[in-house]
Amino acid sequence: MMTVHEVSELTGVSIRALHHYDRIGLLHPAEITGAGYRLYDDTALERLQCILLFKELQFSLKEIKDILDSPDFDYSRALDQQITLLQMKKEHLENLINLAREIKQIGVKKLDFTVFNTKKMDEYAERAKESWGQTPEYREFEEKSKDRTKEDERKLWAGLMEIFTEFGSMKGSSPSGSAAQRLVKKLQDYITEHFYTCSDEILAALGNMYAGGGEMTDNINHAGGEGTAEFAAQAIKVYCSIL
């Protein structure tokens, strides 16, 4: 048995995160002592290892819980994917180290950008994620969208962007203010009605994506002005009580 502090030191997962995993039913300790100390056995550590694997594949905690609780979950297959992904990352890092050494020896005339290309690794991670991707939310989304026309889809996404336009109009206010919090609830309800059931945990994961850069962030900032994605993400954090 290991205490929560020992598990945190062993795995690098914070004590706060382990407590959160317990609270949402993702990872329960094997035992709680009379003094209230959480204790973890080997079975719990195996489950934690799987949690960390699926986090590497960019799954939300809600999705991970659904996968691990599924009667079809294949632990051996998950480990095989983890091994393959880590080997690819190891090869990528070794190539970067070798390039850095060559540049040090011969100078910046060493022009080799192939080592920065992570496409193969990213594609493997995406395929692995897709192989586990039949979550209830994904199935719900497929069911709700199966009969929609392109015009239906356009209107739905336009409606979503209108909500972000509203976020943009209140960027100068506090993300914890009542107006911002009501708008977060409106966003959550809109997603639930038109796409899939948007729990607080899923909403929190979406908030991280909104401010994470890339096309999603650009689209939100285009709708509401620069800084809208970050403001919406902060308001969502307050709403989901994970600040």
Side-chain angles (χ1 to χ4, degrees):
M1 290 286 195
M2 298 181 69
T3 67
V4 68
H5 290 83
E6 290 170 334
V7 172
S8 179
E9 290 182 359
L10 174 68
T11 65
V13 179
S14 71
I15 293 173
R16 181 174 178 270
L18 290 170
H19 288 175
H20 180 60
Y21 293 172
D22 183 15
R23 188 164 58 251
I24 65 175
L26 178 60
L27 178 69
H28 294 304
E31 181 183 330
I32 298 180
T33 69
Y37 292 105
R38 292 173 169 85
L39 299 178
Y40 296 81
D41 61 7
D42 288 345
T43 300
L45 291 178
E46 285 182 0
R47 185 175 173 96
L48 178 57
Q49 185 179 55
C50 289
I51 291 168
L52 298 179
L53 161 64
F54 286 113
K55 285 190 69 179
E56 285 287 326
L57 298 177
Q58 307 300 315
F59 278 92
S60 72
L61 296 182
K62 175 64 168 60
E63 290 171 327
I64 295 171
K65 183 178 185 301
D66 289 338
I67 291 169
L68 296 185
D69 290 345
S70 168
D72 298 326
F73 176 64
D74 186 340
Y75 181 67
S76 176
R77 174 177 157 222
L79 285 179
D80 285 341
Q81 289 179 336
Q82 183 182 41
I83 290 168
T84 300
L85 188 59
L86 290 174
Q87 286 175 332
M88 295 174 79
K89 289 184 176 181
K90 176 176 177 286
E91 180 181 353
H92 175 65
L93 289 174
E94 287 177 343
N95 288 337
L96 287 174
I97 291 170
N98 290 335
L99 174 62
R101 285 174 174 162
E102 289 184 39
I103 291 175
K104 184 177 180 180
Q105 290 175 353
I106 66 175
V108 294
K109 292 182 179 179
K110 174 66 177 180
L111 298 177
D112 182 1
F113 295 95
T114 59
V115 297
F116 299 104
N117 189 343
T118 61
K119 182 178 180 180
K120 182 179 178 181
M121 186 166 58
D122 294 340
E123 286 179 347
Y124 176 81
E126 185 62 30
R127 288 196 304 273
K129 181 174 181 178
E130 288 174 354
S131 72
W132 296 99
Q134 293 299 314
T135 62
E137 289 77 20
Y138 181 81
R139 291 192 293 270
E140 184 180 358
F141 174 78
E142 283 195 323
E143 180 63 26
K144 286 185 174 181
S145 62
K146 65 180 181 180
D147 296 323
R148 289 176 185 158
T149 65
K150 289 185 177 180
E151 179 62 16
D152 292 334
E153 293 289 345
R154 188 196 66 76
K155 289 179 179 179
L156 284 178
W157 287 107
L160 184 64
M161 287 300 107
E162 286 177 5
I163 295 175
F164 288 115
T165 299
E166 292 184 61
F167 273 114
S169 69
M170 59 178 66
K171 290 197 300 287
S173 63
S174 170
S176 61
S178 58
Q181 292 302 292
R182 284 195 300 270
L183 192 54
V184 173
K185 181 62 166 62
K186 179 179 178 179
L187 172 65
Q188 185 179 39
D189 291 345
Y190 188 90
I191 294 171
T192 295
E193 179 181 358
H194 299 293
F195 300 106
Y196 47 79
T197 302
C198 185
S199 66
D200 287 356
E201 185 179 356
I202 290 176
L203 183 63
L206 288 173
N208 289 334
M209 288 175 55
Y210 294 159
E215 186 176 0
M216 178 74 76
T217 301
D218 292 342
N219 288 339
I220 292 173
N221 286 340
H222 179 74
E226 194 65 32
T228 299
E230 180 61 32
F231 177 81
Q234 289 300 318
I236 290 170
K237 284 184 178 182
V238 173
Y239 183 88
C240 297
S241 301
I242 60 169
L243 277 174

